[in-house]
Amino acid sequence: MLRMSIDSIRVSPMNYQRVVILKENDSDRYLPIWIGPAEADAIAVKLQDLSVPRPLTHDLLRTVIDTLGGSVVHILVSDLHNDTFYAKIVIEVDGDTKEIDSRPSDAMALAVRAQVPIFAEESVMDKAGILLDKETGKPLTPERDNGEPTGEVNEEELRRMSAFTDFINDLDLEDFGREQQGR
C-alpha cells in the first residue's frame, strides 16, 4: 500500500467533470480519479473547512460509525478494473477490523472527515499512476535509462491517459481557482 494525499480537485471548463488528483507521498506520481459533482463538493467542503447548515451524507456516515463504537482506520483505493476504481473503507470495531466496499469518492469524503490516511495499492498506481511535468502540469512520457524521453507511448499508456490528457489540455490555468474563490 502506498500513502496518498489529496493534491487537488479540478473541474474541466469544457464539460464541468470533476477529477480528484491523489499524490503519492513518497514520489511524484499522481492518481487521477473522475468523481461526481456531489462527491467533489463533499470533499472540497471539508478540505476548505466550510460549514454547512445540515450534515452531509458523509458526516452522517461518520457519526453512525462513531456512535456504534467504531472508528475509521484508513481508506484504500484497492483496484482498477475496466476503467472503474474500487475502494475499501477500513473500520475497527471492538478490536476487529472490517473492510467495507466503497466508491473511492465516498471513501475519500469520509477520510477527510475522519482525518485518516488514504492509501492506494501499488497495482492501481502501476495501471493508472502518472508523472506530471512540474512546469506545465502535463503528463510526462516514459524515459530511457539516461533520463531522456523516449517519445514513445505504448497503446496501453495512451488508453489510460487519454481522458486525463484531454482534461489537462482543456484547462485554462488562468481561470483555475476563481470559482472556489467566489464561494
Side-chain angles (χ1 to χ4, degrees):
M1 293 190 312
L2 303 168
R3 182 90 183 247
M4 310 292 286
S5 299
I6 296 175
D7 180 73
S8 60
I9 299 171
R10 301 185 185 199
V11 180
S12 168
M14 300 300 286
N15 57 19
Y16 300 104
Q17 286 187 300
R18 276 77 169 169
V19 63
V20 63
I21 310 291
L22 296 179
K23 183 187 180 302
E24 186 178 342
N25 286 11
D26 294 331
S27 83
D28 287 330
R29 282 195 302 177
Y30 294 83
L31 183 63
I33 301 176
W34 295 97
I35 62 174
E39 293 81 5
D41 289 346
I43 295 167
V45 160
K46 192 61 181 174
L47 289 176
Q48 295 174 1
D49 202 25
L50 300 174
S51 61
V52 291
R54 304 281 300 150
L56 298 175
T57 304
H58 303 96
D59 299 313
L60 173 64
L61 179 57
R62 179 167 183 222
T63 300
V64 168
I65 292 167
D66 291 347
T67 301
L68 294 175
S71 62
V72 180
V73 177
H74 67 266
I75 68 121
L76 172 66
V77 180
S78 58
D79 200 6
L80 172 61
H81 186 68
N82 292 331
D83 295 329
T84 300
F85 287 92
Y86 296 85
K88 296 187 183 296
I89 301 169
V90 179
I91 299 174
E92 187 175 291
V93 181
D94 296 328
D96 191 21
T97 302
K98 307 280 186 191
E99 290 185 351
I100 312 295
D101 287 330
S102 175
R103 295 184 306 177
S105 56
D106 290 326
M108 286 184 275
L110 182 59
V112 296
R113 283 161 174 75
Q115 298 179 350
V116 298
I118 299 170
F119 294 99
E121 289 288 1
E122 180 73 46
S123 61
V124 172
M125 291 301 289
D126 288 344
K127 290 178 187 175
I130 60 170
L131 296 172
L132 298 179
D133 183 291
K134 290 182 186 196
E135 291 180 20
T136 66
K138 304 224 186 251
L140 293 175
T141 58
E143 295 181 351
R144 292 187 181 110
D145 290 340
N146 65 2
E148 299 214 3
T150 63
E152 301 168 12
V153 178
N154 67 38
E155 188 174 323
E156 171 65 19
E157 288 170 316
L158 278 175
R159 188 189 60 75
R160 82 179 154 90
M161 287 184 3
S162 64
F164 188 70
T165 303
D166 291 346
F167 173 76
I168 293 294
N169 289 335
D170 289 342
L171 280 178
D172 181 354
L173 297 178
E174 295 292 321
D175 291 336
F176 185 68
R178 287 187 187 164
E179 178 182 303
Q180 292 181 0
Q181 290 172 359
R183 282 189 177 178

